[in-house]
Structure formats: C-alpha cells, structure tokens
Amino acid sequence: MSSSIALHDKTLSELAQGLEAGEYTSRELTEAFLARIERLDGELNSYITLCREEALREADAADARRAAGNAAPLTGVPMAIKDIFCTEGVRTSCGSKMLDNFISPYDATVIEKLKAEGVVMLGKTNLDEFAMGSSNENSYYGPVKNPWDLSAVPGGSSGGSAAAVAAGLAPAALGTDTGGSIRQPAAFCGITGLKPTYGRVSRYGMIAYASSLDQGGPMARSAEDCARLMNVIAGADPRDSTSVVRGVPDYVEGLDYDLKGLKIGLPKEYFGDGLSAEVEASVRAAIKVFEDAGASVQEISLPHTHLAIPTYYVIAPAEASSNLSRYDGVRFGHRCADPQDLEDLYKRTREEGFGDEVKRRILIGTHTLSEGFFDAYYIKAQKVRRLIRQDFLDAFDQVDVLMGPAAPTPAFDLGAHKDPLSMYLQDLYTIAINLAGIPGISVPAGLAGKRPVGLQILGPHFGEQTLLGVAHQFQQITDWHRQRPEFGQEQA
C-alpha cells in the first residue's frame, strides 16, 4: 500500500482511484478501516454495529469483480450506513431499544444500489432515536462525541455518520435529513453533506420518522465524493410512490461549474438575531470567495422563515405519531415480558421501548391529529408550509442559489441543551428546506476555535447538480474540507 497520504485521510474519490490503479486491494482497504474503527471508536461511539465478516466478504467479492474486469466506479470502496436503512441480515435499530433485536429481512433500495455498485458496508452508525434530535444524545446506545472536540456534540440525527467520516473511520456514509439531520452534523463535524430534493432518492427501506420530510443522502469529505455517491443512489423507485420519475444527470460531469455570473442570494432572515459572530464571520468570508471568483451577491427575503420551526413541530410529530404506531410488540421489535392482556402489551412495550424525546413527539403528534385540533393545527401548518415553499420559489426566480449558515453556532457542548425547545431552535436554518422539499448542501467553511463551521448552499428543486458544482468549485479554491481533527492522528 503506497501513498504519501494515510488511507483514512483520503477522500472516497481518491480511494476509488487507488483501487483502480492497483495501489491496494479492497480487502486491504477494508481491513485498514475496520482496524481503525476497533481501535478508536470506543471514544466516539459512532457505530452501533460493526459488520466485520460481511465487510471482508464484500471486499473479496469486489476484488474478484475488479480482477474480472467488470468493476464499477466505486467497486471495493468501503463506507458506513446510518442505522435507519434496512440491511438484510444485519440489525437495523434506529438507535432505539424498540428495534434493538430487529434483524431486517430485506435491503433498502439505496442499499441494493450500493451493493450492485460493489460498495463495502463497514457497519451501521449511531443516530438520535428514530432520527429525532439535533445532537445524537437521544440514542439508546449512548451519545456520540465530536472528533474535533470530545466535549462537543457531533450534531444530529446523523451524528454517527458525520463523526465516523470526520474521524477517518469511514471515507463516506449515508445519512437521512428530516429537518437538517445531514447538513447540521456535516457542519458540526467539518464534512460535506447533501440533502437531495424530496423524491430524488428512494425512501423504500428507510425507516420512517416523518414521511413527507425524510430524505436520504450522502455524507463525505468533499462535494466530488457526494456527486459520485449520488450517481449510485439517485433515481425513481417503483416501490416508493414518493420518488420522482425523472432522469438522473451525471453529477460528476456537473462538477466543472463556472462560478462567473453565478447569482447568489443571501436570505436576510439567516443573518439576524441568534447567529453567532464567529459563524457569521466564516460564512461571509466563504461568500467573499465566490464574489472574488466572479459571482454576484444580493440580499433577498424569505418572509415566512420565522414560522418554519412551529410549522415543522406540528407536521413532523403528527407524521411520527402515525408512523410509530406500528411498534406495538406484536409483530417485531421489543415486547414487554409477561403481558397481562393486549392493552398491557401495548402500554408496557411502548413505555419500555421508546426514549423520552420519541415519546414527547408522539404525544405532540397524537394531540395535533385528535378531533378538534386537526383543523386548528395540522391543516393550518400545511397551509403555512405552502407559503414557506413559495418563498423559495420566488427567491429562485431572482437568484441561482441561496447561501447562509447551516447552524446558528458551532457544535455545542454535550448536555448544553437540556430544554427541548432550545434544542429545536438549533434547526432554525435547516428546517424550512425540508418543508419546501428543495435540496441543500453543507460544506466546511472555517473553524471557530477548534470546532468547524458549515456554509449551507440551497438550490431549486432537482438542483443538486448545480449545488455540487458550486460546492466543488469552492473546495478547489479553499482547503477547509482537507482539514482534519487531531483525534486519531497519532494512531494513524
């Protein structure tokens, strides 16, 4: 294995090139990452399940495929999977006691696509229970720590995926984003994370939190890596009625984007009260990079931004209440011991199986959907959601992309937000994007002390190619995506 850069510091794209050049085999690469995970993840807790035997078997199959001359671009490259995607024969827990014993009998569509590509699954990563949280402190398996600062959260809910990539415990990972759960942890951990347009990536086999908001996407070192993964996972799926039948472009080809003439909008609502000075400074410095490259910048308004959080916390819990009603101890998952009758089975199974935040959102959602409140809350929230979506449509009539912070602060300390409402406010700049169904990407854009800052770039529906191209050009000029935490470097 010859290289001046340690394998764990290379991007997904660089690792794929090394495999193609014969610098190392997929087995050697996979063994290196597995050894690093086993050595270091005890401190981070980024993985729930490590798939050593399966990974080595897949790596050997990838090497045989490459030797036979029919390898795909990412054949043999290892990556991690958020433990909310069903994986045949492997535990799929959703970070919950409720599914601690659930072995999925089938693969999610995105997992099928990755397997067909020959990608190797290292393991399943930690997350806030059922993807409900912004800090990865709500997991049945314990909190995840941020490799940049072990006293800080990695963000959530895809905190395990973000921490694993940042720490070099995987070159890339799959995450999901319901209200910012790819972009916010990507920002906190100094990596690149893309939330695609709703319907661009199949949700079949991705265990549901809020069905009209959930979307899977890639998390990796660079925009180029995310583009390569989007080439594999994007596309319509007959098993997901919400996936959109629309041609999939070559996202890698779109990386050669000319920033001259790019029209950037800065939502004034994203630069007001609540935004920390250090985050604003990094974001404005990043925007200046685009201006220097020939882009134009103008202030625009998204007037209903202040309604995004209350709207989200009506719609998302309502959908969660419905989706999580299936966990009753009858068919699969946790079952209480010695139930006295059916009602006792239901009550004790759900009391024992769900954590506090999940229970809180189920209660809110059930109340919202109850008779007498459905019209007053749920229907009203859907009407406001339409206004929020229209704000973005109007904005994209004027500009090509929107830019701003991914989060109001850098990663906060573990235990800093014990009040649920203060935690909900951490998603101020990400939630509206899910309500509107548009794509967004977070890219590393600076450091506040030793904690990363993310620049969020937003585009119109199905504008992923533009977002990836714009982000890639930024990463050709800057090297923030090349910065690595000190964690694990002495044990390379």
Side-chain angles (χ1 to χ4, degrees), residues 102-133:
F102 175 62
I103 308 297
S104 175
Y106 69 99
D107 281 327
T109 295
V110 290
I111 302 301
E112 286 182 352
K113 289 185 171 187
L114 289 168
K115 284 184 175 180
E117 180 79 4
V119 171
V120 175
M121 182 176 75
L122 293 168
K124 308 290 289 292
T125 55
N126 207 341
L127 67 154
D128 285 298
E129 184 180 7
F130 284 100
M132 298 183 195

PDB file of all heavy atoms in Angstrom, residues 102-133:
ATOM      1  N   PHE A 102     -34.089  -6.156  16.121  1.00  0.00           N
ATOM      2  CA  PHE A 102     -34.675  -6.298  14.787  1.00  0.00           C
ATOM      3  C   PHE A 102     -33.600  -6.555  13.742  1.00  0.00           C
ATOM      4  O   PHE A 102     -32.727  -5.718  13.507  1.00  0.00           O
ATOM      5  CB  PHE A 102     -35.474  -5.039  14.417  1.00  0.00           C
ATOM      6  CG  PHE A 102     -36.022  -5.050  13.015  1.00  0.00           C
ATOM      7  CD1 PHE A 102     -36.930  -6.026  12.614  1.00  0.00           C
ATOM      8  CD2 PHE A 102     -35.628  -4.099  12.090  1.00  0.00           C
ATOM      9  CE1 PHE A 102     -37.439  -6.049  11.321  1.00  0.00           C
ATOM     10  CE2 PHE A 102     -36.132  -4.104  10.791  1.00  0.00           C
ATOM     11  CZ  PHE A 102     -37.033  -5.087  10.413  1.00  0.00           C
ATOM     12  N   ILE A 103     -33.672  -7.720  13.117  1.00  0.00           N
ATOM     13  CA  ILE A 103     -32.786  -8.068  12.003  1.00  0.00           C
ATOM     14  C   ILE A 103     -33.614  -7.936  10.726  1.00  0.00           C
ATOM     15  O   ILE A 103     -34.575  -8.678  10.522  1.00  0.00           O
ATOM     16  CB  ILE A 103     -32.238  -9.510  12.124  1.00  0.00           C
ATOM     17  CG1 ILE A 103     -31.603  -9.729  13.503  1.00  0.00           C
ATOM     18  CG2 ILE A 103     -31.244  -9.795  11.002  1.00  0.00           C
ATOM     19  CD1 ILE A 103     -30.415  -8.860  13.793  1.00  0.00           C
ATOM     20  N   SER A 104     -33.241  -6.983   9.887  1.00  0.00           N
ATOM     21  CA  SER A 104     -34.061  -6.724   8.706  1.00  0.00           C
ATOM     22  C   SER A 104     -34.040  -7.902   7.734  1.00  0.00           C
ATOM     23  O   SER A 104     -32.973  -8.459   7.448  1.00  0.00           O
ATOM     24  CB  SER A 104     -33.557  -5.471   7.980  1.00  0.00           C
ATOM     25  OG  SER A 104     -34.279  -5.277   6.786  1.00  0.00           O
ATOM     26  N   PRO A 105     -35.209  -8.277   7.200  1.00  0.00           N
ATOM     27  CA  PRO A 105     -35.255  -9.379   6.217  1.00  0.00           C
ATOM     28  C   PRO A 105     -35.018  -8.913   4.783  1.00  0.00           C
ATOM     29  O   PRO A 105     -35.058  -9.720   3.864  1.00  0.00           O
ATOM     30  CB  PRO A 105     -36.685  -9.909   6.383  1.00  0.00           C
ATOM     31  CG  PRO A 105     -37.488  -8.703   6.764  1.00  0.00           C
ATOM     32  CD  PRO A 105     -36.569  -7.838   7.603  1.00  0.00           C
ATOM     33  N   TYR A 106     -34.775  -7.624   4.580  1.00  0.00           N
ATOM     34  CA  TYR A 106     -34.588  -7.117   3.216  1.00  0.00           C
ATOM     35  C   TYR A 106     -33.696  -5.886   3.244  1.00  0.00           C
ATOM     36  O   TYR A 106     -33.448  -5.287   4.301  1.00  0.00           O
ATOM     37  CB  TYR A 106     -35.936  -6.769   2.570  1.00  0.00           C
ATOM     38  CG  TYR A 106     -36.629  -5.553   3.176  1.00  0.00           C
ATOM     39  CD1 TYR A 106     -36.531  -4.309   2.564  1.00  0.00           C
ATOM     40  CD2 TYR A 106     -37.364  -5.656   4.355  1.00  0.00           C
ATOM     41  CE1 TYR A 106     -37.164  -3.197   3.110  1.00  0.00           C
ATOM     42  CE2 TYR A 106     -37.993  -4.564   4.898  1.00  0.00           C
ATOM     43  CZ  TYR A 106     -37.892  -3.339   4.281  1.00  0.00           C
ATOM     44  OH  TYR A 106     -38.514  -2.236   4.827  1.00  0.00           O
ATOM     45  N   ASP A 107     -33.212  -5.492   2.058  1.00  0.00           N
ATOM     46  CA  ASP A 107     -32.388  -4.302   1.905  1.00  0.00           C
ATOM     47  C   ASP A 107     -33.225  -3.112   1.446  1.00  0.00           C
ATOM     48  O   ASP A 107     -34.118  -3.264   0.598  1.00  0.00           O
ATOM     49  CB  ASP A 107     -31.296  -4.525   0.848  1.00  0.00           C
ATOM     50  CG  ASP A 107     -30.118  -5.331   1.365  1.00  0.00           C
ATOM     51  OD1 ASP A 107     -29.788  -5.197   2.569  1.00  0.00           O
ATOM     52  OD2 ASP A 107     -29.521  -6.078   0.573  1.00  0.00           O
ATOM     53  N   ALA A 108     -32.909  -1.936   1.971  1.00  0.00           N
ATOM     54  CA  ALA A 108     -33.472  -0.702   1.417  1.00  0.00           C
ATOM     55  C   ALA A 108     -33.000  -0.553  -0.025  1.00  0.00           C
ATOM     56  O   ALA A 108     -31.959  -1.099  -0.410  1.00  0.00           O
ATOM     57  CB  ALA A 108     -33.022   0.498   2.246  1.00  0.00           C
ATOM     58  N   THR A 109     -33.747   0.186  -0.822  1.00  0.00           N
ATOM     59  CA  THR A 109     -33.369   0.375  -2.234  1.00  0.00           C
ATOM     60  C   THR A 109     -31.972   0.963  -2.366  1.00  0.00           C
ATOM     61  O   THR A 109     -31.182   0.524  -3.213  1.00  0.00           O
ATOM     62  CB  THR A 109     -34.384   1.286  -2.939  1.00  0.00           C
ATOM     63  OG1 THR A 109     -35.656   0.606  -2.976  1.00  0.00           O
ATOM     64  CG2 THR A 109     -33.957   1.600  -4.361  1.00  0.00           C
ATOM     65  N   VAL A 110     -31.639   1.955  -1.556  1.00  0.00           N
ATOM     66  CA  VAL A 110     -30.300   2.553  -1.671  1.00  0.00           C
ATOM     67  C   VAL A 110     -29.217   1.543  -1.315  1.00  0.00           C
ATOM     68  O   VAL A 110     -28.118   1.573  -1.884  1.00  0.00           O
ATOM     69  CB  VAL A 110     -30.162   3.828  -0.806  1.00  0.00           C
ATOM     70  CG1 VAL A 110     -30.995   4.954  -1.369  1.00  0.00           C
ATOM     71  CG2 VAL A 110     -30.513   3.559   0.637  1.00  0.00           C
ATOM     72  N   ILE A 111     -29.504   0.633  -0.399  1.00  0.00           N
ATOM     73  CA  ILE A 111     -28.527  -0.411  -0.052  1.00  0.00           C
ATOM     74  C   ILE A 111     -28.372  -1.373  -1.224  1.00  0.00           C
ATOM     75  O   ILE A 111     -27.254  -1.787  -1.564  1.00  0.00           O
ATOM     76  CB  ILE A 111     -28.961  -1.160   1.224  1.00  0.00           C
ATOM     77  CG1 ILE A 111     -29.124  -0.183   2.396  1.00  0.00           C
ATOM     78  CG2 ILE A 111     -27.958  -2.254   1.565  1.00  0.00           C
ATOM     79  CD1 ILE A 111     -27.880   0.599   2.751  1.00  0.00           C
ATOM     80  N   GLU A 112     -29.482  -1.737  -1.858  1.00  0.00           N
ATOM     81  CA  GLU A 112     -29.410  -2.580  -3.057  1.00  0.00           C
ATOM     82  C   GLU A 112     -28.536  -1.930  -4.117  1.00  0.00           C
ATOM     83  O   GLU A 112     -27.717  -2.593  -4.768  1.00  0.00           O
ATOM     84  CB  GLU A 112     -30.814  -2.813  -3.627  1.00  0.00           C
ATOM     85  CG  GLU A 112     -31.670  -3.776  -2.833  1.00  0.00           C
ATOM     86  CD  GLU A 112     -33.026  -3.990  -3.491  1.00  0.00           C
ATOM     87  OE1 GLU A 112     -33.342  -3.271  -4.475  1.00  0.00           O
ATOM     88  OE2 GLU A 112     -33.772  -4.873  -3.035  1.00  0.00           O
ATOM     89  N   LYS A 113     -28.715  -0.623  -4.316  1.00  0.00           N
ATOM     90  CA  LYS A 113     -27.939   0.084  -5.338  1.00  0.00           C
ATOM     91  C   LYS A 113     -26.457   0.117  -4.995  1.00  0.00           C
ATOM     92  O   LYS A 113     -25.594  -0.060  -5.868  1.00  0.00           O
ATOM     93  CB  LYS A 113     -28.484   1.509  -5.506  1.00  0.00           C
ATOM     94  CG  LYS A 113     -29.849   1.572  -6.177  1.00  0.00           C
ATOM     95  CD  LYS A 113     -30.280   3.017  -6.425  1.00  0.00           C
ATOM     96  CE  LYS A 113     -31.533   3.075  -7.287  1.00  0.00           C
ATOM     97  NZ  LYS A 113     -31.871   4.451  -7.689  1.00  0.00           N
ATOM     98  N   LEU A 114     -26.141   0.343  -3.725  1.00  0.00           N
ATOM     99  CA  LEU A 114     -24.737   0.360  -3.304  1.00  0.00           C
ATOM    100  C   LEU A 114     -24.108  -1.022  -3.448  1.00  0.00           C
ATOM    101  O   LEU A 114     -22.948  -1.153  -3.862  1.00  0.00           O
ATOM    102  CB  LEU A 114     -24.626   0.864  -1.866  1.00  0.00           C
ATOM    103  CG  LEU A 114     -24.916   2.354  -1.656  1.00  0.00           C
ATOM    104  CD1 LEU A 114     -25.066   2.679  -0.178  1.00  0.00           C
ATOM    105  CD2 LEU A 114     -23.817   3.212  -2.277  1.00  0.00           C
ATOM    106  N   LYS A 115     -24.875  -2.064  -3.108  1.00  0.00           N
ATOM    107  CA  LYS A 115     -24.351  -3.431  -3.269  1.00  0.00           C
ATOM    108  C   LYS A 115     -24.112  -3.756  -4.739  1.00  0.00           C
ATOM    109  O   LYS A 115     -23.105  -4.391  -5.095  1.00  0.00           O
ATOM    110  CB  LYS A 115     -25.321  -4.441  -2.650  1.00  0.00           C
ATOM    111  CG  LYS A 115     -25.277  -4.485  -1.128  1.00  0.00           C
ATOM    112  CD  LYS A 115     -26.188  -5.579  -0.577  1.00  0.00           C
ATOM    113  CE  LYS A 115     -26.048  -5.715   0.935  1.00  0.00           C
ATOM    114  NZ  LYS A 115     -26.933  -6.772   1.484  1.00  0.00           N
ATOM    115  N   ALA A 116     -25.028  -3.313  -5.600  1.00  0.00           N
ATOM    116  CA  ALA A 116     -24.857  -3.559  -7.033  1.00  0.00           C
ATOM    117  C   ALA A 116     -23.610  -2.853  -7.561  1.00  0.00           C
ATOM    118  O   ALA A 116     -22.954  -3.328  -8.491  1.00  0.00           O
ATOM    119  CB  ALA A 116     -26.097  -3.101  -7.796  1.00  0.00           C
ATOM    120  N   GLU A 117     -23.271  -1.715  -6.968  1.00  0.00           N
ATOM    121  CA  GLU A 117     -22.068  -0.959  -7.346  1.00  0.00           C
ATOM    122  C   GLU A 117     -20.799  -1.662  -6.843  1.00  0.00           C
ATOM    123  O   GLU A 117     -19.706  -1.419  -7.352  1.00  0.00           O
ATOM    124  CB  GLU A 117     -22.156   0.454  -6.763  1.00  0.00           C
ATOM    125  CG  GLU A 117     -20.988   1.363  -7.060  1.00  0.00           C
ATOM    126  CD  GLU A 117     -21.000   1.971  -8.459  1.00  0.00           C
ATOM    127  OE1 GLU A 117     -21.986   1.729  -9.198  1.00  0.00           O
ATOM    128  OE2 GLU A 117     -20.041   2.682  -8.810  1.00  0.00           O
ATOM    129  N   GLY A 118     -20.963  -2.508  -5.811  1.00  0.00           N
ATOM    130  CA  GLY A 118     -19.807  -3.175  -5.217  1.00  0.00           C
ATOM    131  C   GLY A 118     -19.219  -2.441  -4.033  1.00  0.00           C
ATOM    132  O   GLY A 118     -18.094  -2.709  -3.617  1.00  0.00           O
ATOM    133  N   VAL A 119     -19.983  -1.488  -3.456  1.00  0.00           N
ATOM    134  CA  VAL A 119     -19.531  -0.759  -2.270  1.00  0.00           C
ATOM    135  C   VAL A 119     -19.564  -1.696  -1.065  1.00  0.00           C
ATOM    136  O   VAL A 119     -20.462  -2.535  -0.924  1.00  0.00           O
ATOM    137  CB  VAL A 119     -20.430   0.474  -2.030  1.00  0.00           C
ATOM    138  CG1 VAL A 119     -20.120   1.127  -0.694  1.00  0.00           C
ATOM    139  CG2 VAL A 119     -20.256   1.478  -3.166  1.00  0.00           C
ATOM    140  N   VAL A 120     -18.587  -1.559  -0.184  1.00  0.00           N
ATOM    141  CA  VAL A 120     -18.460  -2.409   1.005  1.00  0.00           C
ATOM    142  C   VAL A 120     -19.057  -1.691   2.221  1.00  0.00           C
ATOM    143  O   VAL A 120     -18.720  -0.529   2.481  1.00  0.00           O
ATOM    144  CB  VAL A 120     -16.974  -2.740   1.273  1.00  0.00           C
ATOM    145  CG1 VAL A 120     -16.815  -3.511   2.581  1.00  0.00           C
ATOM    146  CG2 VAL A 120     -16.381  -3.521   0.100  1.00  0.00           C
ATOM    147  N   MET A 121     -19.943  -2.357   2.966  1.00  0.00           N
ATOM    148  CA  MET A 121     -20.555  -1.760   4.153  1.00  0.00           C
ATOM    149  C   MET A 121     -19.735  -2.098   5.389  1.00  0.00           C
ATOM    150  O   MET A 121     -19.666  -3.252   5.803  1.00  0.00           O
ATOM    151  CB  MET A 121     -21.995  -2.249   4.328  1.00  0.00           C
ATOM    152  CG  MET A 121     -22.699  -1.618   5.516  1.00  0.00           C
ATOM    153  SD  MET A 121     -24.443  -2.085   5.670  1.00  0.00           S
ATOM    154  CE  MET A 121     -24.285  -3.774   6.289  1.00  0.00           C
ATOM    155  N   LEU A 122     -19.122  -1.078   5.990  1.00  0.00           N
ATOM    156  CA  LEU A 122     -18.312  -1.278   7.197  1.00  0.00           C
ATOM    157  C   LEU A 122     -19.183  -1.548   8.420  1.00  0.00           C
ATOM    158  O   LEU A 122     -18.806  -2.339   9.289  1.00  0.00           O
ATOM    159  CB  LEU A 122     -17.455  -0.038   7.461  1.00  0.00           C
ATOM    160  CG  LEU A 122     -16.341   0.261   6.448  1.00  0.00           C
ATOM    161  CD1 LEU A 122     -15.791   1.663   6.674  1.00  0.00           C
ATOM    162  CD2 LEU A 122     -15.234  -0.783   6.548  1.00  0.00           C
ATOM    163  N   GLY A 123     -20.315  -0.869   8.504  1.00  0.00           N
ATOM    164  CA  GLY A 123     -21.183  -1.039   9.664  1.00  0.00           C
ATOM    165  C   GLY A 123     -22.302  -0.026   9.655  1.00  0.00           C
ATOM    166  O   GLY A 123     -22.461   0.761   8.716  1.00  0.00           O
ATOM    167  N   LYS A 124     -23.088  -0.054  10.737  1.00  0.00           N
ATOM    168  CA  LYS A 124     -24.250   0.819  10.882  1.00  0.00           C
ATOM    169  C   LYS A 124     -23.943   1.863  11.957  1.00  0.00           C
ATOM    170  O   LYS A 124     -23.512   1.528  13.064  1.00  0.00           O
ATOM    171  CB  LYS A 124     -25.484  -0.012  11.291  1.00  0.00           C
ATOM    172  CG  LYS A 124     -25.774  -1.237  10.403  1.00  0.00           C
ATOM    173  CD  LYS A 124     -26.270  -0.860   9.029  1.00  0.00           C
ATOM    174  CE  LYS A 124     -27.679  -0.300   9.034  1.00  0.00           C
ATOM    175  NZ  LYS A 124     -28.747  -1.273   9.380  1.00  0.00           N
ATOM    176  N   THR A 125     -24.205   3.132  11.629  1.00  0.00           N
ATOM    177  CA  THR A 125     -23.798   4.217  12.515  1.00  0.00           C
ATOM    178  C   THR A 125     -24.913   4.681  13.452  1.00  0.00           C
ATOM    179  O   THR A 125     -26.092   4.544  13.182  1.00  0.00           O
ATOM    180  CB  THR A 125     -23.290   5.423  11.709  1.00  0.00           C
ATOM    181  OG1 THR A 125     -24.286   5.824  10.759  1.00  0.00           O
ATOM    182  CG2 THR A 125     -21.998   5.088  10.983  1.00  0.00           C
ATOM    183  N   ASN A 126     -24.468   5.252  14.558  1.00  0.00           N
ATOM    184  CA  ASN A 126     -25.332   5.725  15.627  1.00  0.00           C
ATOM    185  C   ASN A 126     -26.154   6.939  15.179  1.00  0.00           C
ATOM    186  O   ASN A 126     -25.763   7.658  14.253  1.00  0.00           O
ATOM    187  CB  ASN A 126     -24.463   6.091  16.835  1.00  0.00           C
ATOM    188  CG  ASN A 126     -25.189   5.973  18.163  1.00  0.00           C
ATOM    189  OD1 ASN A 126     -26.414   5.953  18.219  1.00  0.00           O
ATOM    190  ND2 ASN A 126     -24.428   5.889  19.244  1.00  0.00           N
ATOM    191  N   LEU A 127     -27.264   7.172  15.856  1.00  0.00           N
ATOM    192  CA  LEU A 127     -28.174   8.257  15.499  1.00  0.00           C
ATOM    193  C   LEU A 127     -29.081   8.566  16.667  1.00  0.00           C
ATOM    194  O   LEU A 127     -29.233   7.747  17.586  1.00  0.00           O
ATOM    195  CB  LEU A 127     -29.029   7.877  14.289  1.00  0.00           C
ATOM    196  CG  LEU A 127     -30.055   6.738  14.491  1.00  0.00           C
ATOM    197  CD1 LEU A 127     -31.210   6.905  13.502  1.00  0.00           C
ATOM    198  CD2 LEU A 127     -29.432   5.366  14.328  1.00  0.00           C
ATOM    199  N   ASP A 128     -29.679   9.751  16.640  1.00  0.00           N
ATOM    200  CA  ASP A 128     -30.759  10.026  17.581  1.00  0.00           C
ATOM    201  C   ASP A 128     -31.895   9.042  17.313  1.00  0.00           C
ATOM    202  O   ASP A 128     -32.196   8.722  16.162  1.00  0.00           O
ATOM    203  CB  ASP A 128     -31.276  11.454  17.391  1.00  0.00           C
ATOM    204  CG  ASP A 128     -30.341  12.508  17.958  1.00  0.00           C
ATOM    205  OD1 ASP A 128     -30.117  12.491  19.174  1.00  0.00           O
ATOM    206  OD2 ASP A 128     -29.835  13.334  17.184  1.00  0.00           O
ATOM    207  N   GLU A 129     -32.533   8.579  18.379  1.00  0.00           N
ATOM    208  CA  GLU A 129     -33.559   7.545  18.256  1.00  0.00           C
ATOM    209  C   GLU A 129     -34.624   7.919  17.228  1.00  0.00           C
ATOM    210  O   GLU A 129     -35.222   9.005  17.307  1.00  0.00           O
ATOM    211  CB  GLU A 129     -34.214   7.317  19.622  1.00  0.00           C
ATOM    212  CG  GLU A 129     -35.229   6.186  19.624  1.00  0.00           C
ATOM    213  CD  GLU A 129     -35.864   5.968  20.987  1.00  0.00           C
ATOM    214  OE1 GLU A 129     -35.622   6.772  21.902  1.00  0.00           O
ATOM    215  OE2 GLU A 129     -36.607   4.980  21.127  1.00  0.00           O
ATOM    216  N   PHE A 130     -34.822   7.037  16.250  1.00  0.00           N
ATOM    217  CA  PHE A 130     -35.766   7.253  15.151  1.00  0.00           C
ATOM    218  C   PHE A 130     -35.524   8.599  14.460  1.00  0.00           C
ATOM    219  O   PHE A 130     -36.450   9.217  13.943  1.00  0.00           O
ATOM    220  CB  PHE A 130     -37.219   7.123  15.622  1.00  0.00           C
ATOM    221  CG  PHE A 130     -37.639   5.698  15.837  1.00  0.00           C
ATOM    222  CD1 PHE A 130     -37.677   5.151  17.114  1.00  0.00           C
ATOM    223  CD2 PHE A 130     -37.965   4.888  14.762  1.00  0.00           C
ATOM    224  CE1 PHE A 130     -38.047   3.827  17.315  1.00  0.00           C
ATOM    225  CE2 PHE A 130     -38.334   3.559  14.953  1.00  0.00           C
ATOM    226  CZ  PHE A 130     -38.372   3.025  16.230  1.00  0.00           C
ATOM    227  N   ALA A 131     -34.274   9.051  14.470  1.00  0.00           N
ATOM    228  CA  ALA A 131     -33.850  10.292  13.797  1.00  0.00           C
ATOM    229  C   ALA A 131     -34.451  11.538  14.435  1.00  0.00           C
ATOM    230  O   ALA A 131     -34.547  12.576  13.788  1.00  0.00           O
ATOM    231  CB  ALA A 131     -34.175  10.240  12.299  1.00  0.00           C
ATOM    232  N   MET A 132     -34.834  11.455  15.704  1.00  0.00           N
ATOM    233  CA  MET A 132     -35.454  12.591  16.383  1.00  0.00           C
ATOM    234  C   MET A 132     -34.448  13.245  17.311  1.00  0.00           C
ATOM    235  O   MET A 132     -34.259  12.815  18.450  1.00  0.00           O
ATOM    236  CB  MET A 132     -36.690  12.137  17.158  1.00  0.00           C
ATOM    237  CG  MET A 132     -37.771  11.550  16.268  1.00  0.00           C
ATOM    238  SD  MET A 132     -39.246  11.101  17.198  1.00  0.00           S
ATOM    239  CE  MET A 132     -40.090  10.059  16.003  1.00  0.00           C
ATOM    240  N   GLY A 133     -33.774  14.284  16.806  1.00  0.00           N
ATOM    241  CA  GLY A 133     -32.820  15.002  17.635  1.00  0.00           C
ATOM    242  C   GLY A 133     -31.821  15.766  16.801  1.00  0.00           C
ATOM    243  O   GLY A 133     -31.660  15.523  15.606  1.00  0.00           O
TER     244      GLY A 133
END
